[in-house]
Amino acid sequence: MRRLSAATLKDLPPEVPRPGYDRTACTVGIVHLGIGAFHRAHQAVYCDERLAAGEHDWAICGASLRSPAVHDQLAPQDGLYTEAVSGPDGENLRVIGAVKEVLVAPEDPAALAARLAAPETRIVSLTVTEKGYCHDPASGALLHDHPDIRHDLQHPEHPKSVLGFLLAGLRRRRAAGLAPFTPLSCDNLPHNGATLRGLLLELAEASDPALARWIEAEVPFPATMIDRIVPATTDVDRDRIAARLGLRDEGAVICEPFRQWVIEDRFAQGRPRWEESGAQLVDDVAPYEEMKLRLLNGSHSLLAYLGYLCGHKTIAATMADEPLRRLARIFMDREAGPTLKMPPGADLEGYKADLIARFANPGLQHRTWQIAMDGSQKLPQRLLGTARDRLEADAPIDVLALALAGWMRYAGGRDEQGQGIEVRDPLAPILAEAYASGASDAERIVAAFLKIADVFDSDLAGDPRFAGSVTAALHCMLEKGAAAAVRETLARLDS
Ligand code: CS2
């Protein structure tokens, strides 16, 4: 079957929307680091709409920091790919044209550096996941002994890390007398703009203090809250989409109908009019981000670990398991919800009800295993901030403790049937070791996990109420299994 490309666009079935604008007349204004499925289903879609509206200097050059996979999917397709929106009324396809170029940083670092230094590059956005920031998730500090950071400190002109590339780009711009680009973090991190700024300044300080001063004075780091559920595309998805398009698309992305993007409006050299495509430009993203991280991502992680341990492959299947669905709702209502400083005008009840419906979307095959990935990097902002606030208010954390116990059980690397789990996490060996050292004793396992300072700060680790709740939950799970632990927690909360 022929591939989707600029030459075959005309052969698409007439009902499939496609870029109606002249892509050859569009110029790159945004470099995006980490061009995975999420970016293609989110920011690139907003940009596609701005290009279609005539803002033709905001096309995207996407870069992969590691593997050539996305380049190999998109380059033969001239950057074109399908956004497949899967909702209650079926799957709607649309071809997106915002990505003009795809680079693979390790293969051609010079090309990426040149793009970052090009005068027309005005925004450098990022979706590199939590671990891409090379920082300690508990304290937020730069990991100076991370191999990529060590490399970048020695070879600042040939970087490997995201931070190193941003710094190299800004260094070149400053030397050339150009205005900076605006780095735009679109990752699920608390205060993602300020976090990125702090890390970049720390790296700059260690190699080029004058550059650090320039960044401090000249470079804005707007925070963002980004939201859309985008499961990894599978071969089954690609075959189904090819059958509908009559063309093979290796770069297709699957997503839910919902999308949200909240952005702080501070840009060095302008931005696309994203608000005309539904983005919210605000002065302070923090309450939006906290609401999303604690409610959506917190419940997502809870469902992923407990769902996986209960034998569910997807979030939709987990939501069809009534006790788990109830547990997620109770977590939102009683534990995470009360800790939030809500965004102005937000409707908390509506938001939670929408989340339940979004998780249950049967059109998405979002694997529990995918969300369970990188727990050590995700849980501090998803669950531990809530735990801290709850304990400060002397309030119970039963559901949250069960979620953490589920994570520990999962990270131990073996499921309840004794099958191995492929635990993907930068700290996987440390987590496995902590689990094994506890020799099936909940108290010892929890004590070993709480010593992992990258995840648990000393206040939380030293709080006996925290350790006690997680230990009780893990104890029940080890004795009776995850499903029984869920039922017992619900029974206790109901009584
Ligand atoms: C998920 C998120 O993979 C995960 O950990 O919780 O990617 C989630 O789907 C998005 O943040 C939704 O916006």
Side-chain angles (χ1 to χ4, degrees):
M1 193 184 265
R2 288 176 312 147
R3 285 284 276 276
L4 172 67
S5 71
T8 58
L9 257 189
K10 60 178 184 344
D11 304 325
L12 282 173
E15 70 277 10
V16 177
R18 68 211 67 189
Y21 52 93
D22 179 5
R23 292 181 76 226
T24 58
C26 295
T27 53
V28 168
I30 299 175
V31 174
H32 185 79
L33 305 179
I35 182 164
F38 187 78
H39 170 70
R40 281 177 283 148
H42 192 274
Q43 305 100 62
V45 174
Y46 285 84
C47 288
D48 186 66
E49 293 173 11
R50 301 328 306 149
L51 294 170
E55 297 182 55
H56 51 72
D57 46 1
W58 290 111
I60 298 168
C61 161
S64 295
L65 275 301
R66 279 193 292 267
S67 113
V70 176
H71 171 271
D72 298 350
Q73 290 164 351
L74 293 187
Q77 301 183 180
D78 305 305
L80 294 164
Y81 63 89
T82 311
E83 177 208 31
V85 181
S86 203
D89 55 346
E91 186 173 55
N92 292 311
L93 307 183
R94 155 183 171 194
V95 173
I96 303 296
V99 178
K100 275 211 77 160
E101 180 182 45
V102 184
L103 303 174
V104 186
E107 286 178 6
D108 195 355
L112 177 54
R115 266 294 178 205
L116 293 170
E120 56 281 7
T121 298
R122 284 167 289 158
I123 294 175
V124 178
S125 51
L126 282 73
T127 49
V128 293
T129 80
E130 297 83 352
K131 61 179 178 278
Y133 289 77
C134 301
H135 75 317
D136 170 345
S139 70
L142 181 69
L143 295 174
H144 285 267
D145 57 357
H146 188 292
D148 291 354
I149 297 298
R150 280 219 303 263
H151 171 277
D152 292 359
L153 282 168
Q154 274 161 14
H155 310 282
E157 287 308 324
H158 306 284
K160 282 188 175 170
S161 74
V162 177
L163 299 173
F165 273 108
L166 287 172
L167 205 58
L170 289 168
R171 184 183 301 111
R172 284 213 203 176
R173 296 182 83 95
R174 175 169 178 252
L178 288 172
F181 50 70
T182 299
L184 189 67
S185 168
C186 296
D187 281 295
N188 280 321
L189 291 173
H191 312 292
N192 53 13
T195 301
L196 178 60
R197 178 177 192 268
L199 294 168
L200 209 58
L201 284 175
E202 225 180 307
L203 188 64
E205 210 65 72
S207 61
D208 187 346
L211 179 61
R213 299 290 80 72
W214 184 74
I215 294 173
E216 250 169 0
E218 305 291 333
V219 185
F221 288 83
T224 65
M225 183 275 255
I226 37 107
D227 190 7
R228 190 168 218 185
I229 295 178
V230 185
T233 310
T234 63
D235 288 339
V236 173
D237 296 324
R238 280 184 276 264
D239 290 349
R240 184 184 66 246
I241 290 167
R244 282 189 57 194
L245 295 181
L247 295 169
R248 189 87 200 153
D249 175 4
E250 298 298 337
V253 289
I254 316 293
C255 54
E256 62 174 338
F258 180 92
R259 67 180 201 192
Q260 190 179 11
W261 195 6
V262 189
I263 311 167
E264 269 169 21
D265 202 0
R266 298 188 286 117
F267 287 79
Q269 298 193 70
R271 57 167 177 80
R273 288 197 289 276
W274 285 314
E275 68 276 29
E276 290 180 20
S277 294
Q280 296 156 264
L281 277 297
V282 302
D283 291 334
D284 181 15
V285 164
Y288 296 89
E289 153 213 294
E290 192 178 81
M291 176 175 80
K292 194 249 169 180
L293 283 171
R294 292 191 179 188
L295 287 178
L296 188 156
N297 297 111
S299 321
H300 231 185
S301 291
L302 171 148
L303 289 165
Y305 296 116
L306 298 176
Y308 188 98
L309 293 171
C310 291
H312 301 305
K313 290 220 164 8
T314 65
I315 292 292
T318 306
M319 290 298 282
D321 184 338
E322 192 52 33
L324 284 164
R325 181 191 181 103
R326 273 190 64 213
L327 194 74
R329 181 68 208 227
I330 290 176
F331 169 71
M332 294 182 201
D333 287 342
R334 299 201 202 161
E335 298 191 8
T339 69
L340 299 174
K341 298 174 255 340
M342 292 298 290
D347 163 16
L348 180 59
E349 289 310 309
Y351 188 80
K352 291 186 294 192
D354 286 351
L355 283 182
I356 295 291
R358 290 170 63 196
F359 291 159
N361 181 351
L364 296 181
Q365 299 295 311
H366 202 184
R367 290 178 67 193
T368 44
W369 176 82
Q370 188 188 349
I371 298 160
M373 220 181 273
D374 293 343
S376 70
Q377 315 293 299
K378 291 173 174 173
L379 297 188
Q381 56 274 12
R382 294 180 176 205
L383 295 176
L384 302 184
T386 300
R388 217 169 281 120
D389 288 351
R390 295 286 292 166
L391 292 171
E392 201 162 297
D394 220 1
I397 53 166
D398 298 62
V399 185
L400 196 150
L402 190 61
L404 289 172
W407 168 62
M408 293 174 185
R409 178 75 181 79
Y410 177 94
R414 215 155 267 294
D415 69 15
E416 294 185 349
Q417 284 67 47
Q419 299 295 317
I421 302 175
E422 191 194 340
V423 179
R424 291 255 186 102
D425 193 299
L427 301 189
I430 295 174
L431 306 178
E433 165 63 25
Y435 193 83
S437 74
S440 303
D441 178 80
E443 195 173 344
R444 287 173 60 193
I445 295 173
V446 172
F449 269 88
L450 294 185
K451 289 202 186 88
I452 305 175
D454 284 4
V455 180
F456 299 99
D457 65 40
S458 53
D459 282 355
L460 206 51
D463 189 326
R465 295 169 300 171
F466 183 66
S469 300
V470 182
T471 302
L474 184 61
H475 181 73
C476 180
M477 196 178 283
L478 293 176
E479 287 248 296
K480 302 179 183 166
V486 168
R487 281 195 304 273
E488 285 200 8
T489 305
L490 287 172
R492 201 168 58 246
L493 293 171
D494 283 343
S495 64

